[in-house]
Amino acid sequence: MTQPARGRGRRPQTVLEVLRTERLGPHLVRVVAGGPGFASFQNNAFTDRYVKLLFADPAAGLEPPYDLEALRRDRPEALPRPRTYTVRWVDEAAQQLAIDFVLHGDDGLAGPWADRARPGDRLVLSGPGGAYAPDPTADWHLLVGDLAALPAIAAALEALPADAVGHAVVQVESPSDVVDLARPDGLEVTWVHGVDEEALVEAVRALPWRGGDVQAFVHGERGAVKLLRRHLTDERGIDRGRLSISAYWARGRVEDQFQAEKREPVGRI
Ligand SMILES: Cc1cc2nc3c(=O)[nH]c(=O)nc-3n(C[C@H](O)[C@H](O)[C@H](O)COP(=O)(O)OP(=O)(O)OC[C@H]3O[C@@H](n4cnc5c(N)ncnc54)[C@H](O)[C@@H]3O)c2cc1C
């Protein structure tokens, strides 16, 4: 597995260009990017591999790769703003990668950018990081999340061995958000509609709980993830070492604030 090179606190940046976009549903758009800059992208083997996208204000007149240290020192108001996204797939041969963006309205940077993205637009990123990949030795697998976590869940389902068993529970706003998921026959998918966090927890609570060693991947909106953690650790007694769990976003918070709150009680999972 290759890891991105790091040097003196500077994360290398990869500068890509948008090649095409694909609408996957009313609230999801795939952006496929590549170009000469792809050569510096150092892939890893995590199915939840994620990157920090850097969004600069066009009015600041910056050219990527951005010298973040100099900007922090000399022009802090012009610092590009980071947004965290899963890399849905990487095609090394074609020198391309894809990111699936939730379209959540006009608020924000990344969602609206993806909605308007056109071939030739620039995409600047650092990373990838990552922490989870399905363990083929687990007795069964549990994957739970919302549309923001769907790219990571879909990548994990594709990476599972053909004889893997378990459950995925995915919450989407409406039935038209449901997408086809390639997966082993023994992996059942339950779709939960609406935005009620309790409904997602109820769907997980209603699953037939299998015995043995479960490996779980649980990510999504902060409120729902907190409830799910309580259920899985306190009620199901899941082994914490087998549980990948974190919030991907928080309702009513821009990512900068959401990330800052991870250091406060409200943001802790
Ligand atoms: C490791 C990791 C991987 C992630 N992978 C993905 C991914 O592959 N695809 C993806 O779409 N997101 C992913 N996210 C979530 C994404 O980083 C956040 O949704 C981020 O806030 C989006 O930035 P924005 O500029 O669009 O909106 P912001 O400027 O951050 O927020 C503006 C407003 O939109 C709301 N908002 C933000 N995201 C959502 C949402 N998903 N649904 C409804 N309202 C929302 C906020 O609460 C806020 O009120 C991931 C997060 C993490 C930590």
Side-chain angles (χ1 to χ4, degrees), residues 27-28 48-52 55 81-88 99-113 146-152 173 219 221 246-256 258-259 262:
H27 299 105
L28 204 60
D48 71 340
R49 74 195 137 202
Y50 59 86
V51 290
K52 295 280 177 191
F55 290 93
R81 296 183 50 200
R83 293 289 185 267
T84 313
Y85 278 81
T86 305
V87 179
R88 173 65 181 82
I99 296 177
D100 295 351
F101 293 79
V102 175
L103 301 176
H104 54 81
D106 296 332
D107 274 357
L109 285 173
W113 173 85
D146 58 15
L147 210 49
L150 183 59
E173 219 171 298
H219 299 268
E221 201 280 327
S246 74
Y248 272 9
W249 64 285
R251 205 169 294 287
R253 306 286 200 275
V254 300
E255 185 174 334
D256 318 61
F258 158 70
Q259 295 287 357
K262 284 186 174 172

Side-chain angles (χ1 to χ4, degrees), residues 16-23 29-35 96 113-123:
L16 301 178
E17 67 183 69
V18 173
L19 301 174
R20 61 181 185 278
T21 63
E22 297 163 25
R23 194 70 178 229
V29 66
R30 173 164 299 165
V31 174
V32 178
Q96 297 176 4
W113 173 85
D115 199 17
R116 293 189 307 265
R118 294 289 172 269
D121 289 353
R122 225 156 26 186
L123 186 63

Side-chain angles (χ1 to χ4, degrees), residues 139-158:
D139 292 327
W140 65 283
H141 298 266
L142 175 67
L143 302 110
V144 183
D146 58 15
L147 210 49
L150 183 59
I153 291 175
L157 292 177
E158 285 171 8

